[in-house]
Amino acid sequence: MTQAPASLADLRRRLDAIDDRLLDQLMERARVMEDVRAAKAADAKAADEGPSPRLARPGRELAILRRLVARIQGPLPPGLVVRLWRDIMTSFTRLQGAFSVVVLDTPSAERAKPPAQLMGLARRHYGQATPLLTASSPAQLIARLDDGRAQLGLLPTPEDTPDLNWWRNLAPGGLQVLARLPIDGRETQPGAFVVGRQNFEESGADRGLLAVAPDIEASRAKLVRMLTDAGLSPVGIIAETPVGGRPLFLIVNEAYVAPGDARLANLAGAGVRTSVAGGYGVPLDLALDQPLKGVPA
C-alpha cells in the first residue's frame, strides 16, 4: 500500500523542529566557547603571553570548513555551509574578546585595485558585525596591530600592488601572513593576505611564503634551482624588491616551511638567506556548489 505524501503542514512542523535543534546546538556551542576562552587565558598565562590570548585561528577555521564541506551529502550547497560557518566562527570569536580587523584603504589613484573591493572582501569573510578599521598605509595598518586596535589586518597581495612592498616587514616571531582571501578559490581578483603578529597555524593543506635574499648574483631561474636542490618546492615568485643593493624575493613554496627548518640553514650556507614569511591555506574546492533547485537564492 502506497504511503500518502506528507502534508505541507507536517513538513513545516518538521522544519520547525529542525530549527529548534539547530538553535539548541548553537547555544551549546556558545557554552563550550566560554570554556575555550577560559582555557586560552589559562594557557596564555602559563606561557607568560600576557592578558590577550590569540583569538582568531585562520588555520583551524579553514580545517573545520574543509571537514564540513567533505561531509556534505545531497542538495545542500557547499557555499551556503561555508558562509554560515564563517559567520558562526567569527561571531564566536567575538564572544572571546574584542576582535576587529584593519583594512588597507589607500586612495585608488595609488594602486590598481579600488579600496572598496578590499573592504568588500573583508566584510564577506568576517561578516557584517565585525568592526572593520581602515589604514591609509601599510605602516599605519601595522601600527593598528601593534597598539591592539585590531587583531588582524588585510593587505592586497604583492603581485597586485608591487609598489607597496609591505611584505618586507614579514619575519618569524613578528608580522606573518596567516591566510589568503578569498578562501573559496572561485575568484582570483581581488586577493588579500591576512596578516597578524601571531605564528602561522597549518590547516592541513598549505602554501608556505619565504622571503629570500641571495648574497650572490643569481637569476630567478638559478634561485629556483638552488631552492629546489635544497629540498624545497617553489611554485612561484610573487614579488621582488631591492634591499641594500640586493634583490629580496617573496616566494611561494608548495608546502608550509616552519622557522628553524634545516633546509633554510643549508641555504644560508650556500649564500641564500631565507626567512619564513607565513603561509596560507589552499582554497576550498566548491566546484559542486549549486543552488537548490526551485528555491530562491
Side-chain angles (χ1 to χ4, degrees):
M1 184 175 181
T2 304
Q3 185 176 3
S7 68
L8 184 57
D10 288 338
L11 293 172
R12 285 173 174 164
R13 280 192 288 271
R14 287 176 60 188
L15 289 174
D16 289 343
I18 292 171
D19 288 341
D20 289 345
R21 292 198 298 273
L22 287 173
L23 180 59
D24 290 342
Q25 292 296 309
L26 286 174
M27 290 188 294
E28 181 178 356
R29 196 181 197 281
R31 287 190 289 269
V32 172
M33 288 304 301
E34 289 290 316
D35 295 335
V36 168
R37 180 174 64 175
K40 280 186 177 182
D43 287 349
K45 183 177 181 181
D48 195 24
E49 294 179 355
S52 300
R54 178 176 58 177
L55 299 179
R57 298 182 59 188
R60 171 163 167 74
E61 292 168 3
L62 187 55
I64 290 172
L65 292 175
R66 284 205 191 98
R67 176 175 59 82
L68 294 176
V69 168
R71 284 174 54 87
I72 295 175
Q73 298 180 8
L76 182 64
L80 173 61
V81 173
V82 171
R83 292 191 297 273
L84 177 60
W85 254 264
R86 278 299 316 153
D87 279 345
I88 289 173
M89 290 187 292
T90 302
S91 296
F92 282 36
T93 295
R94 293 196 303 274
L95 289 179
Q96 299 179 62
F99 176 70
S100 59
V101 178
V102 57
V103 182
L104 184 67
D105 191 12
T106 58
S108 57
E110 297 181 11
R111 60 192 181 103
K113 187 188 308 174
Q117 290 184 306
L118 202 62
M119 184 63 73
L121 187 58
R123 184 58 71 196
R124 171 180 160 188
H125 188 73
Y126 292 106
Q128 295 299 315
T130 299
L132 295 182
L133 312 178
T134 60
S136 60
S137 67
Q140 189 180 68
L141 183 143
I142 295 172
R144 295 285 185 271
L145 297 175
D146 290 341
D147 64 20
R149 296 187 193 181
Q151 286 67 51
L152 296 176
L154 250 69
L155 287 159
T157 53
E159 57 265 45
D160 293 334
T161 53
D163 57 313
L164 289 181
N165 290 329
W166 60 263
W167 55 273
R168 292 171 54 173
N169 295 289
L170 300 171
L175 190 70
Q176 290 276 280
V177 172
L178 306 174
R180 181 168 184 153
L181 305 183
I183 62 170
D184 55 27
R186 291 183 295 181
E187 300 177 25
T188 57
Q189 298 289 339
F193 278 147
V194 179
V195 300
R197 290 199 177 278
Q198 61 191 56
N199 294 329
F200 176 78
E201 181 179 34
E202 296 183 61
S203 70
D206 303 284
R207 300 283 184 256
L209 291 173
L210 299 171
V212 179
D215 292 328
I216 58 175
E217 292 291 340
S219 65
R220 286 190 170 208
K222 181 179 180 180
L223 181 60
V224 169
R225 286 197 302 271
M226 295 179 70
L227 294 173
T228 302
D229 291 344
L232 297 170
S233 302
V235 295
I237 298 177
I238 61 175
E240 177 183 352
T241 186
V243 175
R246 293 284 187 180
L248 178 67
F249 300 94
L250 185 61
I251 292 180
V252 180
N253 196 62
E254 187 176 26
Y256 176 68
V257 181
D261 190 293
R263 293 170 294 181
L264 305 184
N266 293 336
L267 281 168
V272 180
R273 292 176 289 111
T274 307
S275 176
V276 174
Y280 59 89
V282 174
L284 297 166
D285 182 7
L286 302 185
L288 300 179
D289 188 10
Q290 298 293 332
L292 294 170
K293 294 182 179 179
V295 178

